[in-house]
Amino acid sequence: EITGKFPGYLSPSAGLKFADVPNGLAAISKVPAAGWGQILAYMAFCEVSQEQTPGSAAYAGDFGFKVLTASDPAEKTKKLNAEIANGRLAMMAIIGMFFQDGLTGSAWGDWANYTASPLRAFENELGVQAPVGFWDPAGFTADGSVEDFKRRRATEIKHGRISMLATMGYITPEITGKFPGYLSPSAGLKFADVPNGLAAISKVPAAGWGQILAYMAFCEVSQEQTPGSAAYAGDFGFKVLTASDP
């Protein structure tokens, strides 16, 4: 991307020049079979050419290349810590480059100039906000289907609200404690007997699961939620969460 390509042939037998290989992910399609063999052979060499069992220096990241590490133990620790931090950033960076490449055709592509993307259909929708803009790393909207987008958005709003309630339900007993008395008098189950977090699932009586499922059903059927309705777009008439002003 920055320095350009080598002159001449990458594979004379295949008639493949360095200049013929595109940058980024598109280069994968140009690798000859022998090239994949060389890549795999080098990977194998890196794995088996040095002792890397637990307890060895290589297992801790020290392959004896003191330009990257050091003979001084304190300096080596400092450099290895820096390498781990930089490696984490690099892992994020390469994934970011993959996505950018997939969307624009270049790891350095200018999104503003990429007008052909189906994602443009949704970049003015609710939820498009800095710093990620239109966030769809899995490419669900790549087909540009407005109907599918609206269905997924309705689902996202529901799941988001459930998750917010679940988060509050998860942490509130940890902070405020439990109600006094019985959760289920017939079962002799006190609120204090119910552990916090996932362990609480084991204490829910059968009638409790029935109540939970009945309430879920009520939420689904108590209001019109077909495509085009207000509820489908997330507005259930509870203006504390939304507003009368558009």
Side-chain angles (χ1 to χ4, degrees):
E1 297 276 357
I2 298 173
T3 64
K5 312 285 178 61
F6 287 116
Y9 285 88
L10 168 61
S11 174
S13 62
L16 182 65
K17 294 182 178 179
F18 286 101
D20 297 332
V21 180
N23 296 334
L25 294 174
I28 293 173
S29 65
K30 296 291 187 178
V31 181
W36 287 115
Q38 292 168 33
I39 291 169
L40 292 173
Y42 181 67
M43 289 166 60
F45 170 76
C46 290
E47 289 297 321
V48 303
S49 61
Q50 193 165 10
E51 176 66 26
Q52 299 183 45
T53 55
S56 65
Y59 188 77
D62 183 0
F63 288 87
F65 187 52
K66 300 306 181 187
V67 176
L68 287 181
T69 60
S71 300
D72 176 39
E75 185 68 16
K76 181 173 74 172
T77 298
K78 177 183 175 182
K79 286 188 174 182
L80 287 174
N81 274 328
E83 183 186 18
I84 289 172
N86 292 342
R88 289 170 178 170
L89 290 172
M91 286 188 282
M92 295 295 293
I94 193 61
I95 293 299
M97 287 181 172
F98 284 167
F99 279 121
Q100 185 80 341
D101 194 338
L103 291 172
T104 69
S106 168
W108 313 98
D110 186 352
W111 172 247
N113 294 331
Y114 190 58
T115 58
S117 172
L119 303 184
R120 287 292 182 189
F122 311 114
E123 64 179 3
N124 294 317
E125 295 285 350
L126 284 171
V128 178
Q129 50 197 318
V132 296
F134 182 73
W135 177 243
D136 181 23
F140 287 126
T141 56
D143 59 1
S145 172
V146 174
E147 180 182 351
D148 286 345
F149 172 83
K150 289 183 177 179
R151 176 177 57 79
R152 293 189 182 105
R153 173 49 51 85
T155 303
E156 179 188 25
I157 290 173
K158 282 187 180 181
H159 290 174
R161 289 174 177 172
I162 291 169
S163 296
M164 287 188 283
L165 288 168
T167 301
M168 291 305 301
Y170 209 103
I171 67 176
T172 298
E174 299 276 359
I175 297 172
T176 64
K178 313 285 179 61
F179 286 117
Y182 285 88
L183 169 60
S184 174
S186 61
L189 182 65
K190 294 181 178 181
F191 286 101
D193 297 333
V194 180
N196 295 336
L198 294 175
I201 293 174
S202 65
K203 297 290 187 179
V204 181
W209 287 115
Q211 293 168 36
I212 291 170
L213 292 172
Y215 181 65
M216 289 166 60
F218 169 76
C219 290
E220 289 296 323
V221 303
S222 61
Q223 194 167 12
E224 174 66 25
Q225 299 181 43
T226 55
S229 64
Y232 189 76
D235 183 359
F236 288 87
F238 187 53
K239 300 304 180 186
V240 175
L241 287 180
T242 59
S244 299
D245 176 17

